Amino acid sequence: MFLLTWTRILSKGRAFPRDEDGRPYVPGDYLTEAVKDAVVFYFVKKDGSLEAAVRRYLTGGKLEMEALAERVYGMVFERYPILKGLRVPERIPLPEEGLSKVVVEVLDLKKGYDVRDFRTEAFYGTLEVPVEVEAEAWERLKYAGRSFTEALIRMEQGFLRDNPVLGEFYGNLLNEVKEWEVPLRLGRWTTAPHGGRLLFFWRIKEVRDRILRDYGVDIRPTKVLYLPRDRATAGWSEMRRDLG
């Protein structure tokens, strides 16, 4: 399996972790979480009865915000256990030549401009990763990845209609992801609470409004991480069976 980063992926800290010998790696959780979020978004959108169950849970009694993502994961994967055979290594080694220190701007999508910036470590390149996934699940992942990433692109693009640089970027990206095998959004790419792990139900308005009203948390990705040197937002990636 190959992982291609079409825009730079960012560490969730100020640098990627290192192993005992000082070699950098991407935690396998980055990839696992990206896959899970795409699958949950896809099935909640596709299955009306599942969406209704998720909606009832998220608009019902008191919620434990820290455990919210895991609870929704459980509801979806109990009904659609397509990732039961997924195996991702704990560490994905990174070649030094793909690493760089970059300036990242926090782009406020509502305001249309950056509100602050910082430096962090980024990776760009192609990685061979020993991922195990069943053939049937792989076919579902293609649809799930495309559904989730296209929804994110359209939403972010919708906020930035008057930004000529990013308007062109998102327009091109929307065409390109149609050719990717399994599109994903990987690593740190938003300042949304919980690192974006709640984004699979941002489109359900009453859920979004309830969490904002009761917990002061806006789960929409209204601030994304922008790489001014690349003129691109972070984290757009693809999983492929092969490079042929």
Side-chain angles (χ1 to χ4, degrees):
M1 194 79 65
F2 293 90
L3 179 63
L4 290 72
T5 61
W6 290 102
T7 67
R8 296 180 200 274
I9 62 171
L10 305 179
S11 162
K12 293 184 180 179
R14 290 305 173 98
F16 289 105
R18 265 63 178 173
D19 65 16
E20 298 78 3
D21 297 316
R23 294 172 297 200
Y25 65 89
V26 172
D29 286 349
Y30 282 29
L31 183 54
T32 302
E33 288 175 10
V35 169
K36 282 184 175 181
D37 286 349
V39 169
V40 168
F41 177 86
Y42 173 71
F43 281 115
V44 170
K45 180 181 177 182
K46 180 181 176 65
D47 184 333
S49 64
L50 178 60
E51 178 176 333
V54 170
R55 190 190 305 265
R56 285 194 299 272
Y57 167 65
L58 295 173
T59 55
K62 182 177 175 59
L63 301 174
E64 296 293 335
M65 292 299 294
E66 294 303 319
L68 197 56
E70 292 300 330
R71 172 64 179 135
V72 176
Y73 286 164
M75 294 173 70
V76 173
F77 294 128
E78 182 178 0
R79 186 175 298 196
Y80 297 102
I82 71 166
L83 298 183
K84 64 182 179 181
L86 179 68
R87 300 290 182 271
V88 176
E90 184 178 344
R91 298 175 178 181
I92 303 170
L94 293 173
E96 291 282 356
E97 61 268 22
L99 291 171
S100 60
K101 287 287 187 180
V102 296
V103 173
V104 177
E105 295 178 351
V106 178
L107 180 64
D108 188 313
L109 296 175
K110 289 183 176 179
K111 296 177 180 178
Y113 56 82
D114 63 288
V115 293
R116 65 182 178 91
D117 60 56
F118 61 92
R119 288 182 63 84
T120 191
E121 192 169 40
F123 175 79
Y124 182 79
T126 298
L127 301 170
E128 188 169 4
V129 185
V131 173
E132 296 179 18
V133 61
E134 296 173 355
E136 182 180 353
W138 181 256
E139 292 304 312
R140 292 290 188 98
L141 287 182
K142 292 180 181 179
Y143 295 110
R146 188 165 294 117
S147 178
F148 187 50
T149 53
E150 286 185 1
L152 285 176
I153 293 167
R154 292 182 189 280
M155 188 198 62
E156 292 174 28
Q157 183 183 39
F159 277 114
L160 293 166
R161 293 187 187 280
D162 298 327
N163 185 310
V165 172
L166 278 169
E168 182 179 3
F169 166 75
Y170 282 115
N172 292 336
L173 185 64
L174 194 58
N175 290 326
E176 290 165 7
V177 296
K178 298 180 188 304
E179 305 300 321
W180 300 356
E181 200 160 356
V182 178
L184 296 171
R185 196 80 180 273
L186 198 67
R188 185 183 180 196
W189 57 270
T190 177
T191 62
H194 308 287
R197 294 191 71 207
L198 306 183
L199 296 180
F200 39 69
F201 49 76
W202 94 79
R203 69 183 187 85
I204 307 176
K205 186 177 186 300
E206 57 265 47
V207 171
R208 191 174 70 233
D209 290 348
R210 187 263 168 115
I211 292 176
L212 181 61
R213 181 186 68 243
D214 293 355
Y215 300 94
V217 174
D218 189 343
I219 60 174
R220 293 178 301 172
T222 55
K223 293 185 178 67
V224 296
L225 303 184
Y226 175 67
L227 298 144
R229 184 175 178 181
D230 300 340
R231 297 188 174 187
T233 47
W236 302 104
S237 306
E238 176 192 7
M239 279 204 307
R240 295 190 67 87
R241 284 283 196 187
D242 57 62
L243 298 179

